[in-house]
Amino acid sequence: MGNENKSTKARLLEILRQSDKRISGEELAAALSISRTSVWKGMQALQNSGYIIDAQKNGYILSKKSPDSLCAFEFGQNEKNFVHFHKVGSTMVEARKLALKGIEENQKTQKVVTADEQSAGQGRGDHIWKTTNGSLAFTLVTYPKLFCQQSGRTLMAAQIALANVLEKNSGRQFFVRWPNDIWSDKGKVAGILDEGLFVGGACSYLNLGIGVNLSQSPKITGTDKIFVKDNLFSRKEILESFLDEYSKLNHLIFDQTNSLQKLWDKKNFDSKKSVRASDGKKYIFEKIDENGWAIMSETKNGAVKKFAPGSVSYEKR
């Protein structure tokens, strides 16, 4: 896939970023084989998207202070697989529409829905997800060939991938918490919400909504942020790194061995912690199985029980 697969906005942005000097509309038109009018319209669209472009009679120059953008055209030749909202209720809701449309049109292609701000970000159960300023909020649309009881494997892979990426970019250590969170030693930094459609026990689509506190954390007890200093990495860089890392782990989702489970266990810090499960009883969290189900022992009598991915309350030690 080459330059011909990029939109005019993407190509204009690429040229502007590669130049420290002002570039005339005539030069841009010649470089992209488009009209001067198309150049002007493209520049208008970039400015409307928040990019700071100084436009003069002798050409255009991009300000270094332009925003950390997640607009679809930021992703070049992959632009068609991204949908961006400056403000939206929830990326999960928009991703659901895309997933169902993909099924209806038999176009089952992985998509990513991003947003700068969510007014109704979703968490597990009745919880909401607070989208802090500069945080990363997106939903990954996928169509894995899995059965319902195996769907937790996507959560496991996403948790591992996200923890790996955050560690590489921040130099800090992060942990996975069953069933869907990422924690530092100070608190929760990210959450992953899965939503799927299952027909006859088989998956039709499975979406992963992900929120990450990059440079700010909400004013909620037990939360933390990734970067303790100024954010050294853009949201786009973190997102692209996650997508790359997740794709590397993707084959393990369908692997019949316990390889994914072992990777998850290495990053888990809840072994032997006390939890209160959905049945109201207290248990000791032991481990997870190969499908991401929790294995717990009852505090009173030591009876072992399995729990499908769902809400539990972790007791303080």
Side-chain angles (χ1 to χ4, degrees), residues 106-133:
N106 197 28
Q107 297 289 330
K108 298 182 179 181
T109 305
Q110 180 175 291
K111 304 279 187 180
V112 182
V113 181
T114 62
D116 296 324
E117 182 182 348
Q118 295 183 106
S119 59
Q122 298 178 12
R124 187 172 286 275
D126 295 329
H127 296 164
I128 61 172
W129 178 265
K130 295 285 187 180
T131 306
T132 56
N133 184 38

Side-chain angles (χ1 to χ4, degrees), residues 124 140 142 144-162 176 178-180 192 194 198 203 206-208 242 245-246 248-264 288-294 306-309:
R124 187 172 286 275
L140 179 63
T142 71
K145 294 181 180 179
L146 293 170
F147 290 106
C148 183
Q149 66 269 25
Q150 299 172 312
S151 64
R153 297 176 68 84
T154 60
L155 274 176
M156 293 161 63
Q159 283 180 291
I160 296 165
L162 188 55
V176 298
W178 188 83
N180 63 325
I192 305 173
D194 59 328
F198 297 90
C203 179
L206 187 59
N207 294 347
L208 297 172
F242 166 78
E245 189 74 11
Y246 185 73
K248 291 176 182 177
L249 293 172
N250 195 257
H251 70 283
L252 294 180
I253 295 174
F254 309 97
D255 191 335
Q256 296 303 309
T257 70
N258 61 352
S259 299
L260 195 62
Q261 174 191 356
K262 288 181 178 179
L263 289 175
W264 193 93
I288 62 171
D289 69 8
E290 67 277 6
N291 289 321
W293 290 45
K306 274 190 180 183
F307 287 86

